[in-house]
């Protein structure tokens, strides 16, 4: 069944000097249990579209529906907190929290006792290939690829039904990439989540169940 639907979605960046139509009439559906890859040239609107799906921005026109209900009618914070987890292109880790606390954060927000949250987060961090001696460090004491994996672990602990990732393998070597792709695939196929990945990585596009191509803000076939 469709969990997420984009209907004629358009987004314009507006400032004093110009208007950029970054997403231009995109309609598509996303189902649970599937991995979607969004590919396309730099500047084609992929990140913008993902941020609309994530509820970080609101479409200029058109609607995004979760289980048939327009997200415009929902509280945006609760939509983001309860339904979506996002792995950002620039990781967006909390710099003042340790690696472990970053990964456990979605569970703290849900008021899980700290000890239990930390245990679950540690499990996910090990799963993405981080080592225990890194758990107490702050994000700026990790390499780019390691930070990316902390961001992925944080998405894993959140348990959201929608997992949106912007270039999740962009900073990883091929072995770590394969591991992450395998984890994301498992979340969709075994965990019945809906996984949407923006990527330039042919290895990711290859394993996707559905490939969506964007060009000039539009979906092309
Ligand atoms: N804040 C902004 N103000 C104006 N234009 C913007 C802004 N952010 C992005 N754009 C423009 O919107 C278009 C789509 O950008 P977007 O970041 O969605 O592309 P992308 O497909 O994710 O590219 P990449 O593969 O390089 O990450 C581009 O033309 C970009 O220049
Ligand atoms: Mg982008």
């Amino acid at each position: 069944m469709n969990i997420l639907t984009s209907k004629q979605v358009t987004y314009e960046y507006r400032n004093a000097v110009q208007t950029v139509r970054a997403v231009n009439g995109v309609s598509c559906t996303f189902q649970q249990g599937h991995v979607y890859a969004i590919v396309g040239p730099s500047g084609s609107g992929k990140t913008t579209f993902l941020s609309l799906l994530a509820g970080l921005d609101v479409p200029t026109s058109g609607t995004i529906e979760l289980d048939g209900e327009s997200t415009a009618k929902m509280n945006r914070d609760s939509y983001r907190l309860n339904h979506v987890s996002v792995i950002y292109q620039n990781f967006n880790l909390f710099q003042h929290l340790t690696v472990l606390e970053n990964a456990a954060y979605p569970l703290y927000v849900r008021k899980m006792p700290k000890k239990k949250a930390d245990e679950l987060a540690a499990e996910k961090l090990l799963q993405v290939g981080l080592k225990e001696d890194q758990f107490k460090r702050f994000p700026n004491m990790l390499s780019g690829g390691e930070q990316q994996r902390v961001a992925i672990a944080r998405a894993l602990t959140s348990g959201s039904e929608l997992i949106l990732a912007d270039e999740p393998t962009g900073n990883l070597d091929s072995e770590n990439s394969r591991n992450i792709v395998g984890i994301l695939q498992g979340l969709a196929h075994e965990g019945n989540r809906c996984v949407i990945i923006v990527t330039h990585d042919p290895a990711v596009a290859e394993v996707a169940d559905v490939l969506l191509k964007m060009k000039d803000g539009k979906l092309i076939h």
Side-chain angles (χ1 to χ4, degrees), residues 9-70:
V9 165
T10 292
Y11 187 81
E12 290 176 352
Y13 291 101
R14 291 183 184 149
N15 61 36
V17 285
Q18 58 178 189
T19 296
V20 177
R21 184 169 285 200
V23 174
N24 191 359
V26 170
S27 297
C28 58
T29 58
F30 299 96
Q31 298 184 347
Q32 278 177 268
H34 288 71
V35 177
Y36 296 81
I38 304 178
V39 299
S42 178
S44 57
K46 306 181 298 296
T47 294
T48 307
F49 183 52
L50 202 74
S51 67
L52 298 173
L53 295 178
L56 300 169
D57 288 304
V58 179
T60 307
S61 65
T63 52
I64 290 168
E65 295 176 358
L66 176 78
D67 291 328
E69 194 190 338
S70 170

Side-chain angles (χ1 to χ4, degrees), residues 88-107:
Y88 299 90
Q89 203 163 10
N90 56 2
F91 328 134
N92 271 28
L93 296 175
F94 303 112
Q95 296 300 328
H96 61 290
L97 298 182
T98 65
V99 163
L100 186 67
E101 289 164 344
N102 264 284
Y105 188 78
L107 303 175

Side-chain angles (χ1 to χ4, degrees), residues 53-209:
L53 295 178
L56 300 169
D57 288 304
V58 179
T60 307
S61 65
T63 52
I64 290 168
E65 295 176 358
L66 176 78
D67 291 328
E69 194 190 338
S70 170
T71 55
K73 295 194 190 112
M74 301 174 194
N75 177 301
R76 269 212 297 159
D77 288 338
S78 79
Y79 173 68
R80 292 198 331 236
L81 196 63
N82 297 319
H83 301 286
V84 204
S85 51
V86 187
I87 302 161
Y88 299 90
Q89 203 163 10
N90 56 2
F91 328 134
N92 271 28
L93 296 175
F94 303 112
Q95 296 300 328
H96 61 290
L97 298 182
T98 65
V99 163
L100 186 67
E101 289 164 344
N102 264 284
Y105 188 78
L107 303 175
Y108 299 159
V109 172
R110 286 169 200 177
K111 312 265 185 271
M112 185 183 280
K114 186 161 190 312
K115 189 162 177 288
K116 175 117 194 287
D118 288 353
E119 273 169 22
L120 280 173
E123 198 180 288
K124 303 300 179 195
L125 285 166
L126 293 171
Q127 201 184 341
V128 298
L130 272 282
K131 303 204 176 59
E132 251 184 290
D133 69 354
Q134 297 170 319
F135 290 5
K136 286 206 161 69
R137 291 195 215 163
F138 292 97
N140 64 3
M141 300 169 190
L142 296 179
S143 74
E146 288 164 350
Q147 292 183 46
Q148 192 156 34
R149 284 181 279 148
V150 176
I152 292 163
R154 183 173 60 182
L156 297 178
T157 60
S158 78
S160 308
E161 66 247 63
L162 282 170
I163 298 182
L164 311 184
D166 201 349
E167 293 285 359
T169 61
N171 295 278
L172 301 181
D173 57 77
S174 58
E175 191 187 330
N176 273 305
S177 278
R178 266 197 305 278
N179 181 33
I180 295 304
V181 169
I183 290 170
L184 292 173
Q185 237 181 344
L187 285 171
H189 295 167
E190 279 110 56
N192 202 32
R193 317 285 185 79
C194 173
V195 177
I196 307 174
I197 310 172
V198 165
T199 188
H200 286 289
D201 183 347
V204 178
E206 214 166 83
V207 302
D209 301 303

